[in-house]
Amino acid sequence: MKNFLHFKQSLLFALSLPLGLCFAQATPAPKSESALSAKHADISVSVKVIASADGVCLHDASSYVWGSEGTCPKNRISGIEVTRAGKALFVPISAFADLGNPSKVTLKKPTNSKYFTVLVSGGDAGTSYQAKLTFGALYLKQRRVESSSFPEDAFEVTNFKFNLENNR
């Protein structure tokens, strides 16, 4: 009986939450998965793109996601794998979690042996963007996402610093 009362209280609590704020939600299997890829010399990039199931949004629709405006993107990035000379580089989820409707990935040739840039383009018309992911020897160093229409007026820059140098 005690377990039933706890279940009933939990259910009432969950029903009282605004839609989209449940603590746990079953996520339907994705409709499809594909990959955008690029390669140059010893650098390989694979951007995994997943089609969102109808009616499933991983965030509130009013949250800002590059590549969509006021709606959930039809496609989203589920992972980015980058390897250099056969070694995987660290890419945090925050580097791609808000990039919706990606359409193209390009690997910008390294200007020197230390850094290279991965360009992810996405969105359409007014929601189009370009994400510039700059990598160092072990991990992502900087992310700059900018509006394709207004690159100097609508952009976001994130610098990354991880304590990985001593662990490899």
Side-chain angles (χ1 to χ4, degrees), residues 42 50 54-55 57 65 67 71 79 82 84 87 89-90 99 102 110 118 123 129 134-135 153 162 164:
D42 66 342
I50 195 165
D54 292 335
C57 196
V65 175
T71 62
V82 179
R84 186 173 200 175
K87 293 183 180 180
L89 302 186
F90 181 64
L99 302 178
V118 174
Y129 66 88
T134 303
F135 287 85
D153 295 320
F162 299 99
L164 297 176

Side-chain angles (χ1 to χ4, degrees), residues 31-110:
K31 287 183 174 179
S32 65
E33 186 171 279
S34 61
L36 302 170
S37 59
K39 186 167 176 54
H40 175 72
D42 66 342
I43 302 169
S44 175
V45 179
S46 178
V47 176
K48 294 179 181 180
V49 179
I50 195 165
S52 302
D54 292 335
V56 175
C57 196
L58 298 178
H59 54 81
D60 186 64
S62 65
S63 298
Y64 191 79
V65 175
W66 291 96
S68 67
E69 188 174 343
T71 62
C72 296
K74 294 188 186 310
N75 299 300
R76 60 183 172 82
I77 297 175
S78 63
I80 296 179
E81 295 176 356
V82 179
T83 59
R84 186 173 200 175
K87 293 183 180 180
L89 302 186
F90 181 64
V91 183
I93 192 170
S94 58
F96 56 84
D98 63 346
L99 302 178
N101 298 321
S103 57
K104 182 179 177 185
V105 64
T106 307
L107 183 57
K108 198 171 174 186
K109 294 180 182 179

Side-chain angles (χ1 to χ4, degrees), residues 11-12 17 21 25 35 38 44-45 54 57 62 83 122 128 144-145:
L11 181 61
L12 289 173
L17 291 173
L21 292 180
Q25 183 177 354
S44 175
V45 179
D54 292 335
C57 196
S62 65
T83 59
S128 62
R144 177 183 171 101
V145 187

